[in-house]
Amino acid sequence: MSASYFNNKAQFPDDFMLAAALGTTLVLFENIRNYISKNYGDTTTEWKFYGAKSGWVLKMLLKKKNLFFVIPCNGYFRVAFTLGEKSLEALSASDLPDYIKDQWKKATNHTEGRTVQFDMRDDDHIHLVTRHISIKLEKV
């Protein structure tokens, strides 16, 4: 994962710090949460410190299922999805653009699956994020 804006292990991030870090992209984060809530149920979040290189990362969960990770940056955030084989098969058969499918094919395969990140600087990628959520939740 890429380095988080929050890299001090001793400083546990809170909602105010997240809002300050994300700036105007906080609305994108809220739109994603609202999409999940409307279509699948309420999410929970869990801050995790994965080490000095990663920093604090916000894990987004739905009923204890890991949906994705939010990596806060300065004025934007990244969404990191990890997909297993069943979800990757669904993604390959989906209507997602070929360049996204190629990113997944090139992603390193780990024990828990492959991981791809999307920068959320504006609403250009919101449809990709919501489509990935649908694939992950409906095909597993």
Side-chain angles (χ1 to χ4, degrees):
M1 284 188 227
S2 300
S4 170
Y5 182 77
F6 305 116
N7 56 14
N8 180 356
K9 185 177 182 178
Q11 179 64 52
F12 188 87
D14 61 24
D15 290 344
F16 296 108
M17 293 169 65
L18 179 64
L22 299 188
T24 59
T25 65
L26 178 64
V27 70
L28 299 176
F29 175 74
E30 293 300 331
N31 287 345
I32 293 167
R33 285 189 83 166
N34 290 338
Y35 169 82
I36 298 165
S37 178
K38 179 180 174 185
N39 293 286
Y40 302 101
D42 292 332
T43 59
T44 56
T45 57
E46 184 179 302
W47 284 103
K48 293 281 195 176
F49 190 85
Y50 288 103
K53 286 186 178 182
S54 298
W56 286 99
V57 175
L58 189 62
K59 191 174 181 179
M60 186 73 65
L61 303 144
L62 180 72
K63 299 178 186 173
K64 298 184 182 180
K65 179 177 179 58
N66 178 16
L67 295 178
F68 53 84
F69 297 93
V70 174
I71 301 123
C73 300
N74 189 10
Y76 71 102
F77 62 100
R78 289 187 179 101
V79 175
F81 285 96
T82 300
L83 299 180
E85 281 305 313
K86 289 181 183 178
S87 291
L88 287 170
E89 288 172 16
L91 184 136
S92 293
S94 76
D95 58 352
L96 283 169
D98 287 339
Y99 79 93
I100 296 295
K101 293 176 184 179
D102 288 341
Q103 281 183 342
W104 282 102
K105 288 177 188 173
K106 293 175 185 175
T108 304
N109 197 10
H110 300 283
T111 305
E112 60 277 353
R114 296 175 188 258
T115 301
V116 169
Q117 296 182 19
F118 299 99
D119 282 0
M120 301 301 295
R121 297 176 186 267
D122 51 44
D123 62 1
D124 286 350
H125 290 107
I126 200 102
H127 68 286
L128 295 175
V129 170
T130 57
R131 189 69 181 105
H132 277 77
I133 292 165
S134 297
I135 288 168
K136 188 161 187 170
L137 291 176
E138 293 172 9
K139 298 298 181 187
V140 176

PDB file of all heavy atoms in Angstrom, residues 31-54:
ATOM      1  N   ASN A  31     -19.893   9.907  -0.284  1.00  0.00           N
ATOM      2  CA  ASN A  31     -20.723   9.372  -1.368  1.00  0.00           C
ATOM      3  C   ASN A  31     -20.538   7.862  -1.504  1.00  0.00           C
ATOM      4  O   ASN A  31     -21.511   7.133  -1.737  1.00  0.00           O
ATOM      5  CB  ASN A  31     -20.407  10.062  -2.692  1.00  0.00           C
ATOM      6  CG  ASN A  31     -20.939  11.478  -2.750  1.00  0.00           C
ATOM      7  OD1 ASN A  31     -21.766  11.882  -1.944  1.00  0.00           O
ATOM      8  ND2 ASN A  31     -20.446  12.237  -3.708  1.00  0.00           N
ATOM      9  N   ILE A  32     -19.322   7.397  -1.356  1.00  0.00           N
ATOM     10  CA  ILE A  32     -19.049   5.959  -1.424  1.00  0.00           C
ATOM     11  C   ILE A  32     -19.736   5.248  -0.265  1.00  0.00           C
ATOM     12  O   ILE A  32     -20.391   4.222  -0.445  1.00  0.00           O
ATOM     13  CB  ILE A  32     -17.533   5.688  -1.443  1.00  0.00           C
ATOM     14  CG1 ILE A  32     -16.922   6.199  -2.750  1.00  0.00           C
ATOM     15  CG2 ILE A  32     -17.234   4.202  -1.244  1.00  0.00           C
ATOM     16  CD1 ILE A  32     -15.413   6.260  -2.760  1.00  0.00           C
ATOM     17  N   ARG A  33     -19.597   5.796   0.929  1.00  0.00           N
ATOM     18  CA  ARG A  33     -20.261   5.190   2.097  1.00  0.00           C
ATOM     19  C   ARG A  33     -21.783   5.185   1.928  1.00  0.00           C
ATOM     20  O   ARG A  33     -22.443   4.196   2.262  1.00  0.00           O
ATOM     21  CB  ARG A  33     -19.885   5.929   3.382  1.00  0.00           C
ATOM     22  CG  ARG A  33     -18.482   5.607   3.843  1.00  0.00           C
ATOM     23  CD  ARG A  33     -18.224   6.176   5.191  1.00  0.00           C
ATOM     24  NE  ARG A  33     -18.764   5.261   6.209  1.00  0.00           N
ATOM     25  CZ  ARG A  33     -18.469   5.334   7.479  1.00  0.00           C
ATOM     26  NH1 ARG A  33     -17.651   6.265   7.921  1.00  0.00           N
ATOM     27  NH2 ARG A  33     -18.974   4.474   8.337  1.00  0.00           N
ATOM     28  N   ASN A  34     -22.325   6.261   1.404  1.00  0.00           N
ATOM     29  CA  ASN A  34     -23.777   6.335   1.184  1.00  0.00           C
ATOM     30  C   ASN A  34     -24.228   5.319   0.143  1.00  0.00           C
ATOM     31  O   ASN A  34     -25.301   4.720   0.290  1.00  0.00           O
ATOM     32  CB  ASN A  34     -24.188   7.746   0.773  1.00  0.00           C
ATOM     33  CG  ASN A  34     -24.065   8.741   1.908  1.00  0.00           C
ATOM     34  OD1 ASN A  34     -24.068   8.371   3.079  1.00  0.00           O
ATOM     35  ND2 ASN A  34     -23.931  10.005   1.564  1.00  0.00           N
ATOM     36  N   TYR A  35     -23.440   5.122  -0.892  1.00  0.00           N
ATOM     37  CA  TYR A  35     -23.762   4.117  -1.912  1.00  0.00           C
ATOM     38  C   TYR A  35     -23.839   2.726  -1.272  1.00  0.00           C
ATOM     39  O   TYR A  35     -24.789   1.982  -1.517  1.00  0.00           O
ATOM     40  CB  TYR A  35     -22.708   4.132  -3.027  1.00  0.00           C
ATOM     41  CG  TYR A  35     -22.832   2.956  -3.961  1.00  0.00           C
ATOM     42  CD1 TYR A  35     -23.752   2.966  -5.004  1.00  0.00           C
ATOM     43  CD2 TYR A  35     -22.054   1.822  -3.783  1.00  0.00           C
ATOM     44  CE1 TYR A  35     -23.890   1.878  -5.847  1.00  0.00           C
ATOM     45  CE2 TYR A  35     -22.182   0.726  -4.626  1.00  0.00           C
ATOM     46  CZ  TYR A  35     -23.095   0.761  -5.650  1.00  0.00           C
ATOM     47  OH  TYR A  35     -23.230  -0.330  -6.483  1.00  0.00           O
ATOM     48  N   ILE A  36     -22.861   2.404  -0.463  1.00  0.00           N
ATOM     49  CA  ILE A  36     -22.844   1.094   0.194  1.00  0.00           C
ATOM     50  C   ILE A  36     -24.039   0.957   1.125  1.00  0.00           C
ATOM     51  O   ILE A  36     -24.741  -0.060   1.113  1.00  0.00           O
ATOM     52  CB  ILE A  36     -21.529   0.874   0.967  1.00  0.00           C
ATOM     53  CG1 ILE A  36     -20.335   0.904   0.018  1.00  0.00           C
ATOM     54  CG2 ILE A  36     -21.563  -0.455   1.732  1.00  0.00           C
ATOM     55  CD1 ILE A  36     -18.994   1.048   0.714  1.00  0.00           C
ATOM     56  N   SER A  37     -24.277   1.975   1.928  1.00  0.00           N
ATOM     57  CA  SER A  37     -25.383   1.943   2.881  1.00  0.00           C
ATOM     58  C   SER A  37     -26.728   1.757   2.173  1.00  0.00           C
ATOM     59  O   SER A  37     -27.554   0.944   2.587  1.00  0.00           O
ATOM     60  CB  SER A  37     -25.387   3.232   3.698  1.00  0.00           C
ATOM     61  OG  SER A  37     -26.454   3.252   4.588  1.00  0.00           O
ATOM     62  N   LYS A  38     -26.937   2.496   1.101  1.00  0.00           N
ATOM     63  CA  LYS A  38     -28.199   2.435   0.351  1.00  0.00           C
ATOM     64  C   LYS A  38     -28.403   1.070  -0.300  1.00  0.00           C
ATOM     65  O   LYS A  38     -29.513   0.558  -0.334  1.00  0.00           O
ATOM     66  CB  LYS A  38     -28.209   3.529  -0.714  1.00  0.00           C
ATOM     67  CG  LYS A  38     -29.440   3.551  -1.570  1.00  0.00           C
ATOM     68  CD  LYS A  38     -29.369   4.660  -2.602  1.00  0.00           C
ATOM     69  CE  LYS A  38     -30.553   4.569  -3.544  1.00  0.00           C
ATOM     70  NZ  LYS A  38     -30.456   5.547  -4.618  1.00  0.00           N
ATOM     71  N   ASN A  39     -27.328   0.472  -0.803  1.00  0.00           N
ATOM     72  CA  ASN A  39     -27.446  -0.759  -1.583  1.00  0.00           C
ATOM     73  C   ASN A  39     -27.155  -2.044  -0.821  1.00  0.00           C
ATOM     74  O   ASN A  39     -27.643  -3.108  -1.227  1.00  0.00           O
ATOM     75  CB  ASN A  39     -26.536  -0.682  -2.810  1.00  0.00           C
ATOM     76  CG  ASN A  39     -27.010   0.359  -3.785  1.00  0.00           C
ATOM     77  OD1 ASN A  39     -27.986   0.160  -4.480  1.00  0.00           O
ATOM     78  ND2 ASN A  39     -26.336   1.493  -3.808  1.00  0.00           N
ATOM     79  N   TYR A  40     -26.381  -1.959   0.271  1.00  0.00           N
ATOM     80  CA  TYR A  40     -25.938  -3.187   0.939  1.00  0.00           C
ATOM     81  C   TYR A  40     -26.068  -3.166   2.458  1.00  0.00           C
ATOM     82  O   TYR A  40     -26.032  -4.210   3.085  1.00  0.00           O
ATOM     83  CB  TYR A  40     -24.476  -3.490   0.575  1.00  0.00           C
ATOM     84  CG  TYR A  40     -24.282  -3.620  -0.912  1.00  0.00           C
ATOM     85  CD1 TYR A  40     -23.742  -2.579  -1.651  1.00  0.00           C
ATOM     86  CD2 TYR A  40     -24.675  -4.775  -1.581  1.00  0.00           C
ATOM     87  CE1 TYR A  40     -23.577  -2.699  -3.025  1.00  0.00           C
ATOM     88  CE2 TYR A  40     -24.515  -4.902  -2.952  1.00  0.00           C
ATOM     89  CZ  TYR A  40     -23.970  -3.854  -3.669  1.00  0.00           C
ATOM     90  OH  TYR A  40     -23.810  -3.964  -5.024  1.00  0.00           O
ATOM     91  N   GLY A  41     -26.128  -1.995   3.053  1.00  0.00           N
ATOM     92  CA  GLY A  41     -26.193  -1.887   4.508  1.00  0.00           C
ATOM     93  C   GLY A  41     -25.107  -0.965   5.034  1.00  0.00           C
ATOM     94  O   GLY A  41     -24.254  -0.486   4.280  1.00  0.00           O
ATOM     95  N   ASP A  42     -25.159  -0.724   6.315  1.00  0.00           N
ATOM     96  CA  ASP A  42     -24.223   0.208   6.934  1.00  0.00           C
ATOM     97  C   ASP A  42     -22.817  -0.387   7.060  1.00  0.00           C
ATOM     98  O   ASP A  42     -22.658  -1.571   7.341  1.00  0.00           O
ATOM     99  CB  ASP A  42     -24.719   0.628   8.320  1.00  0.00           C
ATOM    100  CG  ASP A  42     -25.973   1.491   8.223  1.00  0.00           C
ATOM    101  OD1 ASP A  42     -26.140   2.174   7.196  1.00  0.00           O
ATOM    102  OD2 ASP A  42     -26.770   1.474   9.173  1.00  0.00           O
ATOM    103  N   THR A  43     -21.850   0.471   6.856  1.00  0.00           N
ATOM    104  CA  THR A  43     -20.454   0.074   6.972  1.00  0.00           C
ATOM    105  C   THR A  43     -19.912   0.414   8.355  1.00  0.00           C
ATOM    106  O   THR A  43     -20.473   1.242   9.070  1.00  0.00           O
ATOM    107  CB  THR A  43     -19.584   0.811   5.937  1.00  0.00           C
ATOM    108  OG1 THR A  43     -19.697   2.219   6.149  1.00  0.00           O
ATOM    109  CG2 THR A  43     -19.973   0.469   4.522  1.00  0.00           C
ATOM    110  N   THR A  44     -18.842  -0.228   8.686  1.00  0.00           N
ATOM    111  CA  THR A  44     -18.053   0.146   9.854  1.00  0.00           C
ATOM    112  C   THR A  44     -16.632   0.390   9.354  1.00  0.00           C
ATOM    113  O   THR A  44     -16.261  -0.067   8.270  1.00  0.00           O
ATOM    114  CB  THR A  44     -18.051  -0.949  10.937  1.00  0.00           C
ATOM    115  OG1 THR A  44     -17.583  -2.164  10.367  1.00  0.00           O
ATOM    116  CG2 THR A  44     -19.433  -1.148  11.522  1.00  0.00           C
ATOM    117  N   THR A  45     -15.880   1.120  10.150  1.00  0.00           N
ATOM    118  CA  THR A  45     -14.492   1.396   9.780  1.00  0.00           C
ATOM    119  C   THR A  45     -13.575   1.011  10.922  1.00  0.00           C
ATOM    120  O   THR A  45     -13.995   0.971  12.089  1.00  0.00           O
ATOM    121  CB  THR A  45     -14.286   2.883   9.439  1.00  0.00           C
ATOM    122  OG1 THR A  45     -14.698   3.677  10.556  1.00  0.00           O
ATOM    123  CG2 THR A  45     -15.058   3.294   8.200  1.00  0.00           C
ATOM    124  N   GLU A  46     -12.349   0.753  10.566  1.00  0.00           N
ATOM    125  CA  GLU A  46     -11.346   0.350  11.546  1.00  0.00           C
ATOM    126  C   GLU A  46      -9.991   0.883  11.087  1.00  0.00           C
ATOM    127  O   GLU A  46      -9.540   0.579   9.982  1.00  0.00           O
ATOM    128  CB  GLU A  46     -11.338  -1.183  11.574  1.00  0.00           C
ATOM    129  CG  GLU A  46     -10.440  -1.816  12.573  1.00  0.00           C
ATOM    130  CD  GLU A  46     -10.577  -3.337  12.487  1.00  0.00           C
ATOM    131  OE1 GLU A  46     -11.698  -3.861  12.663  1.00  0.00           O
ATOM    132  OE2 GLU A  46      -9.551  -3.988  12.240  1.00  0.00           O
ATOM    133  N   TRP A  47      -9.374   1.711  11.925  1.00  0.00           N
ATOM    134  CA  TRP A  47      -8.042   2.215  11.607  1.00  0.00           C
ATOM    135  C   TRP A  47      -7.011   1.139  11.915  1.00  0.00           C
ATOM    136  O   TRP A  47      -7.056   0.508  12.976  1.00  0.00           O
ATOM    137  CB  TRP A  47      -7.718   3.467  12.422  1.00  0.00           C
ATOM    138  CG  TRP A  47      -8.394   4.702  11.935  1.00  0.00           C
ATOM    139  CD1 TRP A  47      -9.478   5.312  12.489  1.00  0.00           C
ATOM    140  CD2 TRP A  47      -8.031   5.479  10.799  1.00  0.00           C
ATOM    141  NE1 TRP A  47      -9.809   6.431  11.765  1.00  0.00           N
ATOM    142  CE2 TRP A  47      -8.930   6.563  10.717  1.00  0.00           C
ATOM    143  CE3 TRP A  47      -7.026   5.383   9.829  1.00  0.00           C
ATOM    144  CZ2 TRP A  47      -8.860   7.528   9.713  1.00  0.00           C
ATOM    145  CZ3 TRP A  47      -6.949   6.348   8.829  1.00  0.00           C
ATOM    146  CH2 TRP A  47      -7.856   7.402   8.785  1.00  0.00           C
ATOM    147  N   LYS A  48      -6.083   0.944  10.983  1.00  0.00           N
ATOM    148  CA  LYS A  48      -4.998  -0.021  11.161  1.00  0.00           C
ATOM    149  C   LYS A  48      -3.677   0.655  10.840  1.00  0.00           C
ATOM    150  O   LYS A  48      -3.574   1.401   9.865  1.00  0.00           O
ATOM    151  CB  LYS A  48      -5.154  -1.224  10.211  1.00  0.00           C
ATOM    152  CG  LYS A  48      -6.343  -2.091  10.490  1.00  0.00           C
ATOM    153  CD  LYS A  48      -6.057  -2.988  11.641  1.00  0.00           C
ATOM    154  CE  LYS A  48      -7.062  -4.114  11.725  1.00  0.00           C
ATOM    155  NZ  LYS A  48      -6.768  -5.043  12.751  1.00  0.00           N
ATOM    156  N   PHE A  49      -2.676   0.388  11.651  1.00  0.00           N
ATOM    157  CA  PHE A  49      -1.327   0.861  11.361  1.00  0.00           C
ATOM    158  C   PHE A  49      -0.533  -0.341  10.884  1.00  0.00           C
ATOM    159  O   PHE A  49      -0.240  -1.251  11.652  1.00  0.00           O
ATOM    160  CB  PHE A  49      -0.671   1.483  12.606  1.00  0.00           C
ATOM    161  CG  PHE A  49       0.621   2.182  12.295  1.00  0.00           C
ATOM    162  CD1 PHE A  49       0.620   3.491  11.848  1.00  0.00           C
ATOM    163  CD2 PHE A  49       1.836   1.520  12.434  1.00  0.00           C
ATOM    164  CE1 PHE A  49       1.808   4.144  11.541  1.00  0.00           C
ATOM    165  CE2 PHE A  49       3.027   2.163  12.136  1.00  0.00           C
ATOM    166  CZ  PHE A  49       3.013   3.475  11.688  1.00  0.00           C
ATOM    167  N   TYR A  50      -0.190  -0.359   9.600  1.00  0.00           N
ATOM    168  CA  TYR A  50       0.471  -1.516   9.007  1.00  0.00           C
ATOM    169  C   TYR A  50       1.988  -1.390   8.969  1.00  0.00           C
ATOM    170  O   TYR A  50       2.659  -2.308   8.512  1.00  0.00           O
ATOM    171  CB  TYR A  50      -0.064  -1.766   7.601  1.00  0.00           C
ATOM    172  CG  TYR A  50      -1.469  -2.316   7.612  1.00  0.00           C
ATOM    173  CD1 TYR A  50      -2.562  -1.506   7.317  1.00  0.00           C
ATOM    174  CD2 TYR A  50      -1.717  -3.635   7.945  1.00  0.00           C
ATOM    175  CE1 TYR A  50      -3.850  -2.013   7.332  1.00  0.00           C
ATOM    176  CE2 TYR A  50      -3.007  -4.149   7.975  1.00  0.00           C
ATOM    177  CZ  TYR A  50      -4.058  -3.337   7.663  1.00  0.00           C
ATOM    178  OH  TYR A  50      -5.332  -3.832   7.689  1.00  0.00           O
ATOM    179  N   GLY A  51       2.513  -0.272   9.450  1.00  0.00           N
ATOM    180  CA  GLY A  51       3.961  -0.094   9.474  1.00  0.00           C
ATOM    181  C   GLY A  51       4.340   1.289   8.976  1.00  0.00           C
ATOM    182  O   GLY A  51       3.503   2.052   8.479  1.00  0.00           O
ATOM    183  N   ALA A  52       5.616   1.593   9.095  1.00  0.00           N
ATOM    184  CA  ALA A  52       6.108   2.925   8.742  1.00  0.00           C
ATOM    185  C   ALA A  52       5.885   3.263   7.268  1.00  0.00           C
ATOM    186  O   ALA A  52       5.615   4.409   6.925  1.00  0.00           O
ATOM    187  CB  ALA A  52       7.587   3.033   9.085  1.00  0.00           C
ATOM    188  N   LYS A  53       5.988   2.289   6.383  1.00  0.00           N
ATOM    189  CA  LYS A  53       5.805   2.551   4.953  1.00  0.00           C
ATOM    190  C   LYS A  53       4.346   2.828   4.607  1.00  0.00           C
ATOM    191  O   LYS A  53       4.055   3.602   3.707  1.00  0.00           O
ATOM    192  CB  LYS A  53       6.312   1.378   4.116  1.00  0.00           C
ATOM    193  CG  LYS A  53       7.814   1.297   4.060  1.00  0.00           C
ATOM    194  CD  LYS A  53       8.243   0.214   3.099  1.00  0.00           C
ATOM    195  CE  LYS A  53       9.755   0.165   3.016  1.00  0.00           C
ATOM    196  NZ  LYS A  53      10.210  -0.854   2.058  1.00  0.00           N
ATOM    197  N   SER A  54       3.433   2.178   5.292  1.00  0.00           N
ATOM    198  CA  SER A  54       2.009   2.334   4.993  1.00  0.00           C
ATOM    199  C   SER A  54       1.339   3.407   5.834  1.00  0.00           C
ATOM    200  O   SER A  54       0.460   4.106   5.363  1.00  0.00           O
ATOM    201  CB  SER A  54       1.274   1.016   5.226  1.00  0.00           C
ATOM    202  OG  SER A  54       1.760   0.031   4.371  1.00  0.00           O
TER     203      SER A  54
END
